[in-house]
Amino acid sequence: MSNKKVLIVEDDIIYSKYMSLGLEKRGFDVVVVRDGTEAFEEVEKNTFDLILLDIQLPKISGDLVLTKLRETYSPFELPIIMISAMDHTFDVVTYLKLGANDYIIKPTHIEVAIARMNTQLDLVELNKRSLEKTELETLNSLIITYNHEINNPLTVAHGMINLAKNKKDFVYLDKVEEALERIAGIVKKISELQNSGGVSKVDYLSGQKMIKLK
Amino acid sequence: MLFNDKNLVAMFHGDEDIFLEIKADFIRTYQEMVDRIKDAAKHNDADELQISAHTLKGVLSTFCAEPIKELAFELETMGKEKVTSGALEKTLALEVQMKQLIKELENFDSSSMK
């Protein structure tokens, strides 16, 4: 498994060195930058698993850096943990509302910081697996839906065509047309799901689900 | 002692190598940090006073040097509130304490951090 990559945005050279050396020693890959502009450049060039972001930075303040990053990356895509000095009037609620995942008060012992970082990294992983599972379930439901809704009229159409051929009677073709129209209707409903913003499912057989078509 | 040795050992426990490296950085660069504050105070540059004092405050925090950290915080606040009168005297007092802190850190036995 590859090391997790962390970006530290911190203008305090001593504290950032404490954190970067401590994290590297414990198996993280670390990049350190001193301000928001450098942070944006790094995030553009490289993929990070987590960012440690100081609230008080030169040029662009930490809250503005956070806001800008959140325009592109959700808390589940890129966890951001704020770093604050103990004496700051640190409005935790404000930063969490802006999209920070958590915060640490410096000087925080490296093990405490890592515990909080790992919690966020685990949540990202959990969310990723949950999304994959949901996608797979939806795909399965779609396959079941196609099989159920389309298979029946297809069977009817097939049967009617055979009857028409055997009895050489065009009257059966009306039934074929009905079945094909029914199939076309189902296909159209399934296409419209794309614009509906979501799918709801109904129970099918043996714990499986199919997609509910209006 | 101008720093809390118990807190410092707890902070760097298991990482004496890291402590020694950043201690060396601090000893090498502290005077430059103090000079930045002094220059800001001499030139009544409130913004620079705030920024430079804030930087030193952060470093002192890492070394668990609470009393001097408070002094740096006072200077940072003065800069933030655009009050530079009295800043130079406070900075000179800070400088004296800083020299003492550096001596103590140089003599500090960090072997208990192993």
Side-chain angles (χ1 to χ4, degrees), chain A residues 11-15 17-18 21-23 25-26 54 56 85-88 106-110, chain B residues 10-15 17-18 21-22 25-26 50 54 57-59 61-63 69 73 76:
Chain A
D11 62 329
D12 180 338
I13 294 172
I14 298 287
Y15 188 69
K17 195 165 190 182
Y18 167 71
L21 292 178
L23 290 174
K25 196 172 169 183
R26 289 156 175 85
D54 190 20
Q56 197 155 339
M86 215 179 291
D87 51 24
H88 269 120
K106 62 180 178 183
T108 290
H109 192 279
I110 189 78
Chain B
M11 180 83 173
F12 288 93
H13 185 64
D15 291 317
D17 52 338
I18 296 174
E21 188 169 337
I22 67 171
D25 286 348
F26 182 39
Q50 182 188 353
H54 169 78
K57 182 194 73 179
V59 173
S61 183
T62 303
F63 287 100
K69 181 192 148 192
F73 179 52
E76 181 188 359

Side-chain angles (χ1 to χ4, degrees), chain A residues 146-165:
Chain A
Y146 266 112
N147 283 343
H148 176 82
E149 297 281 3
I150 289 172
N151 209 36
N152 285 345
L154 255 182
T155 305
V156 168
H158 201 233
M160 290 297 131
I161 288 169
N162 279 338
L163 270 172
K165 270 160 63 177

